[in-house]
Amino acid sequence: MRLVRRLPPLALVVGILILSACAPAQRALVRTVFAPAEPLPASRELHDLPYTGGEDAIDKHRLDLFLPSPETPVGWPTVVFVHGGGWTEGDRNLTVAGYEIYGNLGRRLAERGVGAAVISYRLQPAVGWREQVDDVAQSVAWVHTSIAAHGGDAGRLFLSGHSAGAQLVTYVSLAPWPLAAAGLEPTTICGVAPISGVGFALADEATYAAGADRSYYRRRFGGTEGWQGEASAITYLESAAPPFLIVYGDAEWASLQRQNALLDAMLRQVGVASRLLVLPNVSHRLIIAQASDPGEPILPALVDFVRTTECAPHGALGAAAAKRGGD
């Protein structure tokens, strides 16, 4: 799935934006690459909900929930979205020039009959990568338990994320321990949509040859022998994995493009359905700004993926899936 578009002027706009210290100019420039949605009614936009730790939960253990219109038939699907930031920064409440980057995506999904849970998680170096993975899994468990009360279907849960968030949702969906530790079956996840993901295959030498900094990943995932295998989502890939929609831009780093193409190829090799959306002339930062724009390819592709992906019967476990969860 490839779309021919010419976007170099937008990349230039983003560059100017970063250099500009004038707030009105920043807002005007962001508006050229970002399509803000109208806020939802208060009953459909629920903020700061604790997904673990109860009412005493820290802010990083909270999420924002965006709900479809009451006219939407009960049983709609939900996307759990995880922000990026190199595992060391970022938050669900990220704003640029006054615009909410991730909340905007939540609203756009809700407008289209898809629930969205936009989460925060603890950051390195305060915690390690395993704790971050566990945070994501705990947020999925909360949505699985709670979404039916709002009209959603607990059996139609999807994961998506940008950059480091894409790595986290991919790991949670493929490795056996995160969902099991959260009390969930491996079939809980219907599908996964990583956007501009990194670090799927940390032992891939071609990725480092393409420019990735091994020490960058060692600082985030190292510390134990065999870290490159343990922290790589593809280590756990098998045919019982959920379907994927993989999105990245061809103006991103060569090493990132390598990781996404490799993930797609390995999914297909073991028989897992994978859709690949490569956006011409789109960079790592621009892609997340475009993700909630109805006029750009990502949002329609994500909504179509969620609507057309067939989920396993709620609570069902095939033989292969049972093995995957019990290893």
Side-chain angles (χ1 to χ4, degrees), residues 127-324:
V127 299
W129 68 268
R130 295 173 188 81
E131 286 76 22
Q132 294 180 307
V133 167
D134 186 63
D135 284 355
V136 174
Q138 291 296 332
S139 74
V140 175
W142 184 92
V143 174
H144 182 264
T145 299
S146 307
I147 203 64
H150 298 284
D153 184 348
R156 300 177 68 194
L157 299 186
F158 293 79
L159 303 186
S160 185
H162 173 246
S163 193
Q167 183 271 337
L168 289 169
V169 298
T170 301
Y171 194 94
V172 166
S173 69
L174 298 184
W177 66 266
L179 293 179
L184 299 174
E185 298 174 349
T187 51
T188 298
I189 308 304
C190 291
V192 190
I195 301 171
S196 294
V198 291
F200 302 128
L202 294 167
D204 179 57
E205 291 300 326
T207 297
Y208 299 111
D213 182 354
R214 195 188 307 268
S215 64
Y216 174 89
Y217 292 103
R218 184 182 293 111
R219 287 194 299 272
R220 285 153 176 79
F221 298 101
T224 60
E225 185 177 355
W227 65 271
Q228 289 177 293
E230 182 186 358
S232 295
I234 64 159
T235 299
Y236 312 97
L237 178 59
E238 58 180 64
S239 61
F244 272 70
L245 167 66
I246 300 171
V247 183
Y248 68 95
D250 71 2
E252 305 201 63
W253 316 297
S255 58
L256 182 148
Q257 295 186 54
R258 162 68 184 176
Q259 284 282 295
N260 284 269
L262 179 61
L263 176 62
D264 175 65
M266 297 191 71
L267 287 164
R268 294 171 184 269
Q269 184 176 341
V270 299
V272 176
S274 179
R275 307 183 193 183
L276 184 63
L277 176 60
V278 183
L279 305 178
N281 303 312
V282 175
S283 68
H284 193 64
R285 294 185 184 274
L286 184 58
I287 201 168
I288 191 58
Q290 288 186 351
S292 59
D293 188 336
E296 298 294 341
I298 302 172
L299 181 64
L302 178 57
V303 171
D304 180 71
F305 176 64
V306 169
R307 287 177 175 169
T308 60
T309 297
E310 184 176 349
C311 300
H314 185 55
L317 276 174
K323 178 180 183 299
R324 178 169 169 253

